[in-house]
Amino acid sequence: QVQLVESGGGSVQAGGSLRLSCAASGYIHSRYCMGWFRQAPGKEREGVAHIYTGGGSTYYADSVKGRFTISQDNAKNTLYLQMNSLKPEDTAMYYCAAVPVNGASWFRAGDCVFYEYNYWGQGTQVTVSS
């Protein structure tokens, strides 16, 4: 069983930055997809960034590419999302999630989008004002 706890959300003005953290506990082996998702009121959940723990490759949604960076600290079992140049449309509840995968040598983070994540954190709110 994997437990995920997010932190780091808050309120910021447009153009500002925030860093979200996700502390993972339980058994995390080397082949997981881990991702950050967000959901704004009245909108569908969106996967914004993914990382494959097997090799560290990353994948981003077009809406955040060039502004957000996903990373992991294996020693701390922590996932991060650095968010720069924030926009009002980034306002949402942000969730950390994970799913074990049977990653072959060719597996990359872009393949994570085809998996249904089954471990979720409780979410952290990000509000960006104009």
Side-chain angles (χ1 to χ4, degrees), residues 6 8 27 32 42 51-52 57 64 80 84 97 107 111 122 125:
E6 304 97 333
Y27 181 62
Y32 265 78
I51 189 167
Y52 172 48
S57 59
V64 306
Y80 300 101
N84 298 329
F107 196 95
D111 300 308
Q122 83 289 349
Q125 178 68 37

Side-chain angles (χ1 to χ4, degrees), residues 114-130:
F114 301 109
Y115 284 77
E116 185 173 351
Y117 282 70
N118 55 353
Y119 296 108
W120 292 87
Q122 83 289 349
T124 186
Q125 178 68 37
V126 172
T127 303
V128 184
S129 57
S130 57

Side-chain angles (χ1 to χ4, degrees), residues 90-115:
D90 295 318
T91 295
M93 184 71 78
Y94 282 71
Y95 299 90
C96 170
V99 59
V101 297
N102 188 14
S105 59
W106 44 261
F107 196 95
R108 298 293 182 270
D111 300 308
C112 295
V113 303
F114 301 109
Y115 284 77

Side-chain angles (χ1 to χ4, degrees), residues 65-110:
K65 199 173 295 183
R67 300 188 298 121
F68 290 11
T69 302
I70 188 172
S71 63
Q72 59 180 356
D73 185 330
N74 292 331
K76 296 182 179 180
N77 269 353
T78 301
L79 183 73
Y80 300 101
L81 185 68
Q82 178 66 44
M83 305 185 294
N84 298 329
S85 302
L86 282 161
K87 305 175 181 179
E89 51 264 45
D90 295 318
T91 295
M93 184 71 78
Y94 282 71
Y95 299 90
C96 170
V99 59
V101 297
N102 188 14
S105 59
W106 44 261
F107 196 95
R108 298 293 182 270

Side-chain angles (χ1 to χ4, degrees), residues 38-46 89-93 125:
R38 67 186 181 186
Q39 188 165 22
K43 294 188 176 181
E44 290 189 357
R45 187 174 63 198
E46 175 188 20
E89 51 264 45
D90 295 318
T91 295
M93 184 71 78
Q125 178 68 37

